[in-house]
PDB file of all heavy atoms in Angstrom:
ATOM      1  N   ALA A 732      -1.775  -2.701  68.260  1.00 98.00           N
ATOM      2  CA  ALA A 732      -1.626  -2.197  66.887  1.00 98.00           C
ATOM      3  C   ALA A 732      -0.392  -1.310  66.789  1.00 98.00           C
ATOM      4  O   ALA A 732       0.368  -1.357  65.810  1.00 98.00           O
ATOM      5  CB  ALA A 732      -2.876  -1.417  66.474  1.00 98.00           C
ATOM      6  N   GLU A 733      -0.162  -0.520  67.833  1.00 98.00           N
ATOM      7  CA  GLU A 733       1.010   0.367  67.850  1.00 98.00           C
ATOM      8  C   GLU A 733       2.299  -0.462  67.817  1.00 98.00           C
ATOM      9  O   GLU A 733       3.219  -0.167  67.047  1.00 98.00           O
ATOM     10  CB  GLU A 733       0.958   1.230  69.112  1.00 98.00           C
ATOM     11  CG  GLU A 733       2.069   2.241  69.169  1.00 98.00           C
ATOM     12  CD  GLU A 733       1.916   3.216  70.335  1.00 98.00           C
ATOM     13  OE1 GLU A 733       0.831   3.258  70.952  1.00 98.00           O
ATOM     14  OE2 GLU A 733       2.900   3.922  70.606  1.00 98.00           O
ATOM     15  N   ALA A 734       2.331  -1.524  68.627  1.00 97.00           N
ATOM     16  CA  ALA A 734       3.532  -2.371  68.673  1.00 97.00           C
ATOM     17  C   ALA A 734       3.753  -3.034  67.311  1.00 97.00           C
ATOM     18  O   ALA A 734       4.880  -3.103  66.800  1.00 97.00           O
ATOM     19  CB  ALA A 734       3.378  -3.417  69.767  1.00 97.00           C
ATOM     20  N   TRP A 735       2.641  -3.490  66.722  1.00 98.00           N
ATOM     21  CA  TRP A 735       2.739  -4.144  65.402  1.00 98.00           C
ATOM     22  C   TRP A 735       3.354  -3.175  64.386  1.00 98.00           C
ATOM     23  O   TRP A 735       4.261  -3.512  63.636  1.00 98.00           O
ATOM     24  CB  TRP A 735       1.333  -4.575  64.947  1.00 98.00           C
ATOM     25  CG  TRP A 735       1.314  -5.371  63.671  1.00 98.00           C
ATOM     26  CD1 TRP A 735       1.254  -6.719  63.563  1.00 98.00           C
ATOM     27  CD2 TRP A 735       1.375  -4.868  62.323  1.00 98.00           C
ATOM     28  NE1 TRP A 735       1.278  -7.100  62.234  1.00 98.00           N
ATOM     29  CE2 TRP A 735       1.363  -5.981  61.450  1.00 98.00           C
ATOM     30  CE3 TRP A 735       1.471  -3.598  61.763  1.00 98.00           C
ATOM     31  CZ2 TRP A 735       1.396  -5.864  60.071  1.00 98.00           C
ATOM     32  CZ3 TRP A 735       1.526  -3.481  60.369  1.00 98.00           C
ATOM     33  CH2 TRP A 735       1.486  -4.614  59.542  1.00 98.00           C
ATOM     34  N   LEU A 736       2.837  -1.947  64.395  1.00 97.00           N
ATOM     35  CA  LEU A 736       3.243  -0.969  63.383  1.00 97.00           C
ATOM     36  C   LEU A 736       4.685  -0.509  63.595  1.00 97.00           C
ATOM     37  O   LEU A 736       5.461  -0.391  62.637  1.00 97.00           O
ATOM     38  CB  LEU A 736       2.288   0.230  63.469  1.00 97.00           C
ATOM     39  CG  LEU A 736       2.144   1.081  62.242  1.00 97.00           C
ATOM     40  CD1 LEU A 736       1.629   0.260  61.074  1.00 97.00           C
ATOM     41  CD2 LEU A 736       1.178   2.237  62.499  1.00 97.00           C
ATOM     42  N   GLU A 737       5.010  -0.241  64.836  1.00 95.00           N
ATOM     43  CA  GLU A 737       6.324   0.312  65.143  1.00 95.00           C
ATOM     44  C   GLU A 737       7.462  -0.584  64.656  1.00 95.00           C
ATOM     45  O   GLU A 737       8.488  -0.090  64.189  1.00 95.00           O
ATOM     46  CB  GLU A 737       6.450   0.551  66.639  1.00 95.00           C
ATOM     47  CG  GLU A 737       7.190   1.827  66.912  1.00 95.00           C
ATOM     48  CD  GLU A 737       6.744   2.481  68.207  1.00 95.00           C
ATOM     49  OE1 GLU A 737       6.997   1.879  69.256  1.00 95.00           O
ATOM     50  OE2 GLU A 737       6.129   3.553  68.149  1.00 95.00           O
ATOM     51  N   GLN A 738       7.238  -1.877  64.754  1.00 96.00           N
ATOM     52  CA  GLN A 738       8.289  -2.803  64.298  1.00 96.00           C
ATOM     53  C   GLN A 738       8.504  -2.713  62.793  1.00 96.00           C
ATOM     54  O   GLN A 738       9.487  -3.208  62.273  1.00 96.00           O
ATOM     55  CB  GLN A 738       7.849  -4.247  64.577  1.00 96.00           C
ATOM     56  CG  GLN A 738       7.969  -4.663  66.002  1.00 96.00           C
ATOM     57  CD  GLN A 738       7.241  -5.983  66.226  1.00 96.00           C
ATOM     58  OE1 GLN A 738       6.949  -6.703  65.272  1.00 96.00           O
ATOM     59  NE2 GLN A 738       6.940  -6.276  67.464  1.00 96.00           N
ATOM     60  N   ARG A 739       7.528  -2.159  62.094  1.00 96.00           N
ATOM     61  CA  ARG A 739       7.607  -2.186  60.638  1.00 96.00           C
ATOM     62  C   ARG A 739       7.933  -0.830  59.991  1.00 96.00           C
ATOM     63  O   ARG A 739       7.926  -0.706  58.782  1.00 96.00           O
ATOM     64  CB  ARG A 739       6.294  -2.740  60.065  1.00 96.00           C
ATOM     65  CG  ARG A 739       6.174  -4.231  60.325  1.00 96.00           C
ATOM     66  CD  ARG A 739       4.775  -4.753  60.125  1.00 96.00           C
ATOM     67  NE  ARG A 739       4.724  -6.191  60.326  1.00 96.00           N
ATOM     68  CZ  ARG A 739       4.610  -6.770  61.527  1.00 96.00           C
ATOM     69  NH1 ARG A 739       4.547  -6.034  62.617  1.00 96.00           N
ATOM     70  NH2 ARG A 739       4.570  -8.090  61.639  1.00 96.00           N
ATOM     71  N   PHE A 740       8.184   0.177  60.819  1.00 95.00           N
ATOM     72  CA  PHE A 740       8.486   1.499  60.250  1.00 95.00           C
ATOM     73  C   PHE A 740       9.715   1.456  59.341  1.00 95.00           C
ATOM     74  O   PHE A 740       9.808   2.210  58.376  1.00 95.00           O
ATOM     75  CB  PHE A 740       8.722   2.517  61.373  1.00 95.00           C
ATOM     76  CG  PHE A 740       7.445   3.056  61.948  1.00 95.00           C
ATOM     77  CD1 PHE A 740       7.431   3.610  63.231  1.00 95.00           C
ATOM     78  CD2 PHE A 740       6.257   3.037  61.230  1.00 95.00           C
ATOM     79  CE1 PHE A 740       6.265   4.118  63.765  1.00 95.00           C
ATOM     80  CE2 PHE A 740       5.092   3.545  61.770  1.00 95.00           C
ATOM     81  CZ  PHE A 740       5.090   4.081  63.039  1.00 95.00           C
ATOM     82  N   GLY A 741      10.642   0.579  59.658  1.00 92.00           N
ATOM     83  CA  GLY A 741      11.875   0.554  58.864  1.00 92.00           C
ATOM     84  C   GLY A 741      11.786  -0.307  57.617  1.00 92.00           C
ATOM     85  O   GLY A 741      12.750  -0.398  56.857  1.00 92.00           O
ATOM     86  N   GLU A 742      10.650  -0.915  57.395  1.00 92.00           N
ATOM     87  CA  GLU A 742      10.551  -1.843  56.250  1.00 92.00           C
ATOM     88  C   GLU A 742      10.665  -1.116  54.922  1.00 92.00           C
ATOM     89  O   GLU A 742      10.201   0.004  54.780  1.00 92.00           O
ATOM     90  CB  GLU A 742       9.224  -2.620  56.319  1.00 92.00           C
ATOM     91  CG  GLU A 742       9.284  -3.657  57.403  1.00 92.00           C
ATOM     92  CD  GLU A 742       8.209  -4.712  57.284  1.00 92.00           C
ATOM     93  OE1 GLU A 742       7.385  -4.636  56.359  1.00 92.00           O
ATOM     94  OE2 GLU A 742       8.221  -5.605  58.135  1.00 92.00           O
ATOM     95  N   PRO A 743      11.242  -1.802  53.930  1.00 93.00           N
ATOM     96  CA  PRO A 743      11.404  -1.125  52.641  1.00 93.00           C
ATOM     97  C   PRO A 743      10.108  -1.064  51.822  1.00 93.00           C
ATOM     98  O   PRO A 743      10.089  -0.544  50.723  1.00 93.00           O
ATOM     99  CB  PRO A 743      12.452  -1.992  51.933  1.00 93.00           C
ATOM    100  CG  PRO A 743      12.337  -3.338  52.571  1.00 93.00           C
ATOM    101  CD  PRO A 743      11.856  -3.138  53.960  1.00 93.00           C
ATOM    102  N   ALA A 744       9.014  -1.578  52.345  1.00 95.00           N
ATOM    103  CA  ALA A 744       7.760  -1.639  51.575  1.00 95.00           C
ATOM    104  C   ALA A 744       7.251  -0.244  51.203  1.00 95.00           C
ATOM    105  O   ALA A 744       7.440   0.709  51.961  1.00 95.00           O
ATOM    106  CB  ALA A 744       6.707  -2.364  52.393  1.00 95.00           C
TER     107      ALA A 744
END
Side-chain angles (χ1 to χ4, degrees):
E733 184 173 348
W735 185 98
L736 203 60
E737 219 150 67
Q738 284 168 18
R739 288 165 178 83
F740 279 158
E742 286 197 359

